[in-house]
Amino acid sequence: MNPARLHREILAWYGEEKRDLPWRRSRDPYRIWISEIMLQQTRVEAVLPYFERFLSNFPTVNDLAEAELDRVLNLWAGLGYYSRARNLHAAAKQVVRDFHGKFPQHYDELRTLKGIGPYTAAAIASMAFHKAHCSIDGNLERVFARLLALKKDPKAAGKSDIAELGKLVVERGQAGDVNQAFMDLASAICLPRNPLCELCPIQSHCEAKRQGEQADFPVKKPKVEKTSLRASAWAVISGKELLLARRAKGEWLAGMWDLPWDLVGDKDVRKSAPFGHELASCSQARSITRYKVEFEVRGLVCRKRPTALDLSKLCAKADEFRWVKLEELHGINLPRPSEKALEKLLPKLN
Protein backbone atom coordinates (compact mmCIF):
# COMPACT_ATOMS: atom_id res chain seq x y z
CA MET A 1 0.00 0.00 0.00
CA ASN A 2 1.18 3.51 -0.85
CA PRO A 3 0.00 5.90 1.94
CA ALA A 4 0.78 9.00 -0.13
CA ARG A 5 -1.35 7.81 -3.05
CA LEU A 6 -4.09 6.64 -0.66
CA HIS A 7 -4.10 10.12 0.89
CA ARG A 8 -4.31 11.79 -2.50
CA GLU A 9 -7.07 9.56 -3.86
CA ILE A 10 -9.35 9.66 -0.81
CA LEU A 11 -9.16 13.47 -0.72
CA ALA A 12 -9.88 13.75 -4.45
CA TRP A 13 -13.00 11.61 -4.01
CA TYR A 14 -14.07 13.61 -0.93
CA GLY A 15 -13.72 16.86 -2.81
CA GLU A 16 -16.29 15.65 -5.32
CA GLU A 17 -18.61 13.55 -3.16
CA LYS A 18 -18.60 14.96 0.38
CA ARG A 19 -21.94 15.28 2.11
CA ASP A 20 -23.28 18.76 2.85
CA LEU A 21 -23.69 18.62 6.62
CA PRO A 22 -24.32 21.68 8.82
CA TRP A 23 -21.33 21.09 11.10
CA ARG A 24 -19.01 21.01 8.08
CA ARG A 25 -19.83 24.57 7.04
CA SER A 26 -17.33 26.08 9.45
CA ARG A 27 -14.30 25.09 11.53
CA ASP A 28 -16.09 26.06 14.75
CA PRO A 29 -14.91 23.54 17.37
CA TYR A 30 -18.13 23.98 19.36
CA ARG A 31 -20.33 22.92 16.45
CA ILE A 32 -17.98 20.04 15.59
CA TRP A 33 -18.01 18.88 19.21
CA ILE A 34 -21.82 18.93 19.47
CA SER A 35 -22.15 17.00 16.20
CA GLU A 36 -19.59 14.37 17.17
CA ILE A 37 -21.25 13.70 20.52
CA MET A 38 -24.69 13.48 18.92
CA LEU A 39 -23.41 11.13 16.21
CA GLN A 40 -22.20 8.57 18.76
CA GLN A 41 -24.54 5.57 18.42
CA THR A 42 -26.89 7.65 16.22
CA ARG A 43 -27.40 7.94 12.45
CA VAL A 44 -26.70 11.23 10.65
CA GLU A 45 -30.30 11.51 9.45
CA ALA A 46 -31.62 11.27 13.01
CA VAL A 47 -29.10 13.80 14.32
CA LEU A 48 -29.80 16.62 11.84
CA PRO A 49 -32.99 18.07 13.41
CA TYR A 50 -31.58 17.69 16.93
CA PHE A 51 -28.37 19.47 15.95
CA GLU A 52 -30.21 22.46 14.46
CA ARG A 53 -32.57 22.73 17.43
CA PHE A 54 -29.76 22.37 19.98
CA LEU A 55 -27.62 25.05 18.31
CA SER A 56 -30.54 27.44 18.00
CA ASN A 57 -31.05 27.19 21.78
CA PHE A 58 -27.36 27.10 22.73
CA PRO A 59 -25.43 28.88 19.95
CA THR A 60 -22.19 29.13 21.97
CA VAL A 61 -20.39 27.11 24.59
CA ASN A 62 -21.14 29.89 27.09
CA ASP A 63 -24.87 29.55 26.42
CA LEU A 64 -24.67 25.81 27.05
CA ALA A 65 -22.63 26.26 30.23
CA GLU A 66 -25.17 28.74 31.63
CA ALA A 67 -28.23 26.64 30.76
CA GLU A 68 -30.19 24.61 33.27
CA LEU A 69 -29.48 20.88 32.97
CA ASP A 70 -33.22 20.16 32.73
CA ARG A 71 -33.42 22.29 29.59
CA VAL A 72 -30.42 20.54 28.04
CA LEU A 73 -31.89 17.11 28.76
CA ASN A 74 -35.27 18.18 27.42
CA LEU A 75 -33.74 19.18 24.07
CA TRP A 76 -31.76 15.94 24.00
CA ALA A 77 -34.77 13.70 24.67
CA GLY A 78 -35.20 11.13 21.92
CA LEU A 79 -31.50 10.81 21.06
CA GLY A 80 -30.92 8.32 23.89
CA TYR A 81 -27.71 7.65 25.84
CA TYR A 82 -28.51 10.61 28.07
CA SER A 83 -25.14 10.62 29.80
CA ARG A 84 -23.91 12.29 26.60
CA ALA A 85 -26.10 15.32 27.30
CA ARG A 86 -25.02 15.51 30.94
CA ASN A 87 -21.38 15.29 29.88
CA LEU A 88 -21.88 18.02 27.26
CA HIS A 89 -23.24 20.32 29.94
CA ALA A 90 -20.40 19.52 32.35
CA ALA A 91 -17.74 19.92 29.64
CA ALA A 92 -19.15 23.29 28.58
CA LYS A 93 -18.71 24.48 32.15
CA GLN A 94 -15.10 23.20 32.06
CA VAL A 95 -14.37 25.13 28.85
CA VAL A 96 -15.72 28.33 30.42
CA ARG A 97 -13.97 27.79 33.75
CA ASP A 98 -10.62 26.33 32.66
CA PHE A 99 -10.16 27.72 29.14
CA HIS A 100 -11.89 31.13 29.37
CA GLY A 101 -14.70 30.01 27.07
CA LYS A 102 -12.41 29.02 24.19
CA PHE A 103 -12.06 25.41 23.10
CA PRO A 104 -8.57 24.00 23.67
CA GLN A 105 -6.74 23.18 20.44
CA HIS A 106 -4.56 20.31 21.56
CA TYR A 107 -5.55 16.67 21.82
CA ASP A 108 -4.36 16.19 25.41
CA GLU A 109 -6.28 19.25 26.60
CA LEU A 110 -9.42 18.15 24.79
CA ARG A 111 -9.17 14.78 26.53
CA THR A 112 -9.53 16.52 29.91
CA LEU A 113 -13.10 17.56 29.04
CA LYS A 114 -15.93 15.44 30.39
CA GLY A 115 -17.19 12.90 27.88
CA ILE A 116 -14.46 13.49 25.28
CA GLY A 117 -12.63 10.27 24.47
CA PRO A 118 -9.81 9.55 22.02
CA TYR A 119 -12.04 9.54 18.92
CA THR A 120 -13.84 12.82 19.70
CA ALA A 121 -10.63 14.59 20.74
CA ALA A 122 -8.96 13.55 17.48
CA ALA A 123 -12.00 14.65 15.46
CA ILE A 124 -12.12 18.12 17.04
CA ALA A 125 -8.33 18.60 16.90
CA SER A 126 -8.16 17.61 13.23
CA MET A 127 -11.34 19.22 11.90
CA ALA A 128 -11.23 22.49 13.84
CA PHE A 129 -7.50 23.01 14.35
CA HIS A 130 -5.81 21.03 11.51
CA LYS A 131 -3.91 18.80 13.95
CA ALA A 132 -2.61 15.49 12.55
CA HIS A 133 -4.78 13.06 14.51
CA CYS A 134 -6.76 10.18 13.04
CA SER A 135 -10.25 9.87 14.54
CA ILE A 136 -10.71 6.12 14.76
CA ASP A 137 -14.21 4.77 15.33
CA GLY A 138 -15.94 1.56 14.30
CA ASN A 139 -16.52 2.82 10.76
CA LEU A 140 -12.89 3.68 10.17
CA GLU A 141 -11.83 0.38 11.75
CA ARG A 142 -13.96 -1.42 9.19
CA VAL A 143 -12.41 0.46 6.24
CA PHE A 144 -8.84 0.06 7.48
CA ALA A 145 -9.32 -3.60 8.42
CA ARG A 146 -10.38 -4.28 4.84
CA LEU A 147 -7.56 -2.25 3.36
CA LEU A 148 -5.10 -4.31 5.41
CA ALA A 149 -7.05 -7.60 5.34
CA LEU A 150 -6.37 -7.47 9.06
CA LYS A 151 -6.80 -10.90 10.61
CA LYS A 152 -6.98 -9.49 14.13
CA ASP A 153 -9.75 -7.77 16.08
CA PRO A 154 -9.26 -4.04 15.30
CA LYS A 155 -10.48 -3.17 18.78
CA ALA A 156 -7.95 -5.42 20.50
CA ALA A 157 -4.90 -7.14 18.99
CA GLY A 158 -5.20 -5.20 15.73
CA LYS A 159 -5.63 -1.79 17.34
CA SER A 160 -2.02 -0.73 16.78
CA ASP A 161 -2.15 -1.74 13.09
CA ILE A 162 -5.20 0.48 12.57
CA ALA A 163 -3.60 3.38 14.43
CA GLU A 164 -0.37 3.10 12.44
CA LEU A 165 -2.16 3.24 9.08
CA GLY A 166 -4.24 6.21 10.27
CA LYS A 167 -1.09 8.03 11.38
CA LEU A 168 0.63 7.44 8.03
CA VAL A 169 -2.30 8.95 6.14
CA VAL A 170 -3.24 11.99 8.27
CA GLU A 171 0.36 13.12 8.68
CA ARG A 172 0.37 13.95 4.97
CA GLY A 173 -1.94 16.91 5.61
CA GLN A 174 -5.60 17.95 5.73
CA ALA A 175 -6.23 15.54 8.59
CA GLY A 176 -9.76 16.82 9.22
CA ASP A 177 -10.79 16.26 5.62
CA VAL A 178 -9.10 12.85 5.58
CA ASN A 179 -11.07 11.78 8.65
CA GLN A 180 -14.35 13.02 7.20
CA ALA A 181 -13.58 11.40 3.84
CA PHE A 182 -13.22 8.01 5.49
CA MET A 183 -16.45 8.62 7.43
CA ASP A 184 -18.31 9.30 4.19
CA LEU A 185 -16.69 6.33 2.47
CA ALA A 186 -17.77 4.03 5.31
CA SER A 187 -21.30 5.45 5.21
CA ALA A 188 -21.84 5.32 1.45
CA ILE A 189 -19.57 2.60 0.02
CA CYS A 190 -17.59 0.48 2.51
CA LEU A 191 -20.78 -0.77 4.15
CA PRO A 192 -20.84 -3.35 6.95
CA ARG A 193 -22.66 -5.76 4.65
CA ASN A 194 -22.44 -5.91 0.88
CA PRO A 195 -19.83 -3.17 0.40
CA LEU A 196 -20.04 -1.39 -2.96
CA CYS A 197 -16.44 -2.14 -3.88
CA GLU A 198 -16.77 -1.31 -7.59
CA LEU A 199 -17.62 2.28 -6.62
CA CYS A 200 -14.78 2.62 -4.12
CA PRO A 201 -12.19 5.28 -5.04
CA ILE A 202 -9.44 3.46 -3.13
CA GLN A 203 -10.22 -0.13 -4.15
CA SER A 204 -6.75 -0.56 -5.67
CA HIS A 205 -5.34 -0.33 -2.11
CA CYS A 206 -7.72 -2.89 -0.61
CA GLU A 207 -6.12 -6.22 0.24
CA ALA A 208 -9.46 -7.74 1.28
CA LYS A 209 -10.92 -6.99 -2.16
CA ARG A 210 -7.83 -8.42 -3.85
CA GLN A 211 -8.40 -11.64 -1.91
CA GLY A 212 -12.16 -11.56 -2.55
CA GLU A 213 -12.83 -11.70 1.21
CA GLN A 214 -14.38 -8.30 1.95
CA ALA A 215 -17.22 -9.87 3.94
CA ASP A 216 -14.75 -11.49 6.32
CA PHE A 217 -13.44 -8.16 7.63
CA PRO A 218 -13.28 -6.74 10.16
CA VAL A 219 -12.76 -9.75 12.40
CA LYS A 220 -15.50 -9.55 15.00
CA LYS A 221 -15.80 -10.80 18.51
CA PRO A 222 -18.99 -12.73 19.31
CA LYS A 223 -22.02 -10.49 19.68
CA VAL A 224 -23.27 -10.14 23.24
CA GLU A 225 -27.00 -10.63 23.55
CA LYS A 226 -28.89 -7.97 25.48
CA THR A 227 -30.09 -8.94 28.94
CA SER A 228 -33.87 -8.92 29.31
CA LEU A 229 -35.46 -7.10 32.24
CA ARG A 230 -38.96 -6.12 33.30
CA ALA A 231 -40.24 -2.81 34.59
CA SER A 232 -43.49 -1.37 35.85
CA ALA A 233 -44.39 2.17 34.78
CA TRP A 234 -47.35 4.44 35.50
CA ALA A 235 -49.28 7.02 33.50
CA VAL A 236 -51.15 8.91 36.21
CA ILE A 237 -53.79 11.48 35.26
CA SER A 238 -55.35 13.96 37.69
CA GLY A 239 -57.76 16.39 36.09
CA LYS A 240 -56.03 17.48 32.88
CA GLU A 241 -52.50 16.88 34.15
CA LEU A 242 -50.01 14.01 33.89
CA LEU A 243 -47.56 12.97 36.61
CA LEU A 244 -43.86 12.95 35.68
CA ALA A 245 -40.89 11.83 37.77
CA ARG A 246 -37.28 12.92 37.52
CA ARG A 247 -34.86 10.02 37.66
CA ALA A 248 -32.56 10.21 40.67
CA LYS A 249 -28.78 10.58 40.49
CA GLY A 250 -27.06 7.24 40.00
CA GLU A 251 -30.09 5.67 38.30
CA TRP A 252 -30.58 4.95 34.61
CA LEU A 253 -31.52 8.14 32.72
CA ALA A 254 -30.54 10.23 35.76
CA GLY A 255 -31.93 13.75 35.62
CA MET A 256 -34.48 12.93 32.91
CA TRP A 257 -38.18 13.64 33.30
CA ASP A 258 -40.14 10.50 32.44
CA LEU A 259 -43.14 8.48 33.48
CA PRO A 260 -42.47 7.07 36.96
CA TRP A 261 -41.08 3.55 36.66
CA ASP A 262 -39.07 0.91 38.53
CA LEU A 263 -37.55 -2.42 37.58
CA VAL A 264 -39.37 -5.50 38.87
CA GLY A 265 -38.20 -9.07 39.28
CA ASP A 266 -39.40 -11.94 37.11
CA LYS A 267 -41.30 -13.44 40.02
CA ASP A 268 -42.91 -10.22 41.24
CA VAL A 269 -46.67 -10.40 41.43
CA ARG A 270 -48.48 -7.63 39.55
CA LYS A 271 -49.26 -5.06 42.21
CA SER A 272 -52.60 -3.33 42.49
CA ALA A 273 -52.71 0.38 41.75
CA PRO A 274 -51.39 2.34 44.76
CA PHE A 275 -54.08 5.01 44.24
CA GLY A 276 -56.63 6.01 41.62
CA HIS A 277 -58.48 3.78 39.18
CA GLU A 278 -56.58 1.72 36.63
CA LEU A 279 -58.36 2.03 33.29
CA ALA A 280 -55.85 0.75 30.75
CA SER A 281 -52.39 -0.70 30.30
CA CYS A 282 -49.96 -1.44 27.51
CA SER A 283 -46.57 -3.04 26.96
CA GLN A 284 -43.67 -1.04 25.53
CA ALA A 285 -40.14 -2.31 24.89
CA ARG A 286 -37.12 -0.11 25.60
CA SER A 287 -33.39 -0.56 25.09
CA ILE A 288 -31.09 0.90 27.74
CA THR A 289 -27.35 0.27 27.25
CA ARG A 290 -26.96 -3.52 27.07
CA TYR A 291 -30.42 -4.26 28.43
CA LYS A 292 -33.74 -4.87 26.73
CA VAL A 293 -36.45 -3.75 29.12
CA GLU A 294 -40.09 -4.72 28.73
CA PHE A 295 -42.25 -2.02 30.33
CA GLU A 296 -45.78 -2.58 31.48
CA VAL A 297 -47.27 0.92 31.51
CA ARG A 298 -50.45 1.20 33.57
CA GLY A 299 -52.85 4.12 33.15
CA LEU A 300 -54.48 5.54 36.28
CA VAL A 301 -57.04 8.30 36.79
CA CYS A 302 -57.15 10.02 40.20
CA ARG A 303 -59.98 12.12 41.57
CA LYS A 304 -57.71 13.27 44.39
CA ARG A 305 -54.03 14.12 44.09
CA PRO A 306 -51.77 11.51 45.73
CA THR A 307 -49.70 12.59 48.71
CA ALA A 308 -45.91 12.82 48.74
CA LEU A 309 -45.83 9.51 50.61
CA ASP A 310 -48.02 7.91 47.95
CA LEU A 311 -45.66 9.14 45.23
CA SER A 312 -42.57 7.83 47.00
CA LYS A 313 -44.20 4.39 47.14
CA LEU A 314 -45.07 4.62 43.47
CA CYS A 315 -41.49 5.20 42.32
CA ALA A 316 -38.51 4.92 44.64
CA LYS A 317 -36.05 5.85 41.86
CA ALA A 318 -37.25 9.45 41.52
CA ASP A 319 -35.94 12.50 43.35
CA GLU A 320 -38.74 14.85 42.26
CA PHE A 321 -42.28 14.73 40.88
CA ARG A 322 -44.27 17.29 38.89
CA TRP A 323 -47.67 17.60 37.24
CA VAL A 324 -47.75 18.74 33.63
CA LYS A 325 -50.81 19.94 31.72
CA LEU A 326 -51.63 17.50 28.95
CA GLU A 327 -51.89 20.36 26.47
CA GLU A 328 -48.26 21.31 27.28
CA LEU A 329 -46.89 17.77 27.13
CA HIS A 330 -45.53 18.22 23.59
CA GLY A 331 -42.91 20.63 24.96
CA ILE A 332 -41.44 18.13 27.43
CA ASN A 333 -39.73 15.72 24.98
CA LEU A 334 -40.08 12.53 26.99
CA PRO A 335 -38.06 9.47 26.00
CA ARG A 336 -39.64 8.12 22.82
CA PRO A 337 -40.84 4.78 24.34
CA SER A 338 -42.80 6.75 26.96
CA GLU A 339 -44.31 8.94 24.24
CA LYS A 340 -45.40 5.81 22.36
CA ALA A 341 -47.01 4.38 25.49
CA LEU A 342 -48.88 7.62 26.12
CA GLU A 343 -50.13 7.67 22.53
CA LYS A 344 -51.76 4.31 23.26
CA LEU A 345 -53.07 5.12 26.74
CA LEU A 346 -54.18 8.76 26.81
CA PRO A 347 -57.21 8.26 24.52
CA LYS A 348 -58.43 5.62 26.99
CA LEU A 349 -57.82 7.79 30.06
CA ASN A 350 -59.54 11.02 28.95
Side-chain angles (χ1 to χ4, degrees):
M1 184 186 301
N2 184 326
R5 189 160 64 89
L6 176 61
H7 176 268
R8 183 170 63 252
E9 291 174 359
I10 191 68
L11 284 178
W13 174 81
Y14 181 65
E16 295 179 359
E17 303 292 339
K18 67 180 177 182
R19 291 175 289 180
D20 180 22
L21 299 172
W23 46 87
R24 290 181 175 175
R25 296 169 192 163
S26 77
R27 294 284 182 177
D28 180 3
Y30 175 68
R31 294 172 67 86
I32 292 169
W33 170 53
I34 297 297
S35 71
E36 289 298 332
I37 299 299
M38 286 187 170
L39 287 165
Q40 294 170 9
Q41 309 291 329
T42 312
R43 294 177 298 105
V44 169
E45 295 76 14
V47 163
L48 288 170
Y50 283 92
F51 179 81
E52 299 289 5
R53 186 163 58 245
F54 202 87
L55 266 292
S56 68
N57 281 271
F58 312 122
T60 71
V61 70
N62 286 280
D63 294 318
L64 179 55
E66 293 171 2
E68 293 292 330
L69 179 58
D70 279 355
R71 187 166 171 235
V72 176
L73 290 169
N74 188 40
L75 286 166
W76 193 271
L79 275 175
Y81 299 93
Y82 294 96
S83 62
R84 294 182 296 171
R86 289 189 288 273
N87 288 342
L88 274 176
H89 190 243
K93 291 180 178 294
Q94 285 180 268
V95 171
V96 171
R97 183 186 68 239
D98 301 336
F99 299 97
H100 309 291
K102 293 185 178 180
F103 255 84
Q105 297 188 19
H106 299 290
Y107 176 89
D108 289 341
E109 291 177 326
L110 288 163
R111 287 283 283 116
T112 67
L113 300 179
K114 185 77 170 177
I116 293 188
Y119 166 80
T120 306
I124 297 170
S126 65
M127 296 176 200
F129 303 114
H130 308 287
K131 306 295 184 183
H133 294 284
C134 188
S135 47
I136 299 172
D137 68 349
N139 291 314
L140 188 141
E141 287 172 350
R142 180 172 70 253
V143 175
F144 281 14
R146 286 171 175 166
L147 287 173
L148 297 169
L150 185 65
K151 292 181 167 59
K152 294 179 278 188
D153 183 347
K155 297 184 183 298
K159 192 172 184 177
S160 61
D161 301 81
I162 298 291
E164 179 61 24
L165 178 55
K167 182 172 181 287
L168 287 172
V169 179
V170 298
E171 285 185 343
R172 282 166 168 77
Q174 295 179 255
D177 286 346
V178 170
N179 284 325
Q180 291 178 95
F182 279 116
M183 291 176 198
D184 282 5
L185 186 79
S187 174
I189 293 175
C190 198
L191 306 173
R193 298 178 182 176
N194 303 316
L196 307 176
C197 298
E198 298 310 315
L199 300 178
C200 181
I202 57 172
Q203 59 180 283
S204 64
H205 301 273
C206 186
E207 183 63 19
K209 182 178 185 301
R210 190 189 69 79
Q211 296 175 11
E213 299 176 347
Q214 301 94 312
D216 296 334
F217 299 98
V219 173
K220 298 173 183 174
K221 60 183 179 182
K223 188 175 181 179
V224 178
E225 293 295 325
K226 289 195 173 186
T227 302
S228 294
L229 298 174
R230 292 174 56 229
S232 184
W234 308 87
V236 183
I237 300 291
S238 178
K240 295 294 182 180
E241 294 184 325
L242 173 73
L243 178 67
L244 297 180
R246 186 168 67 178
R247 304 289 296 171
K249 186 177 181 180
E251 299 295 333
W252 279 340
L253 311 182
M256 285 292 300
W257 287 100
D258 198 354
L259 297 176
W261 62 269
D262 283 326
L263 291 175
V264 297
D266 290 337
K267 297 181 179 180
D268 285 358
V269 177
R270 191 178 191 276
K271 298 177 182 178
S272 60
F275 45 76
H277 302 282
E278 183 174 339
L279 298 183
S281 65
C282 71
S283 182
Q284 185 66 51
R286 300 177 76 162
S287 290
I288 304 177
T289 62
R290 61 184 182 87
Y291 298 93
K292 181 178 180 181
V293 188
E294 189 65 29
F295 279 71
E296 181 188 26
V297 187
R298 300 162 66 182
L300 307 180
V301 175
C302 302
R303 289 195 178 90
K304 182 180 178 182
R305 287 280 173 92
T307 66
L309 180 60
D310 290 331
L311 294 180
S312 67
K313 292 178 180 179
L314 179 75
C315 180
K317 305 301 184 183
D319 61 8
E320 188 178 348
F321 295 91
R322 65 191 272 205
W323 294 91
V324 177
K325 292 181 180 179
L326 292 174
E327 63 190 37
E328 297 174 358
L329 194 57
H330 65 279
I332 301 298
N333 286 336
L334 298 175
R336 184 58 185 148
S338 293
E339 290 183 343
K340 288 181 178 179
L342 288 173
E343 288 170 3
K344 299 174 185 177
L345 291 178
L346 285 180
K348 301 176 182 179
L349 300 179
N350 287 321

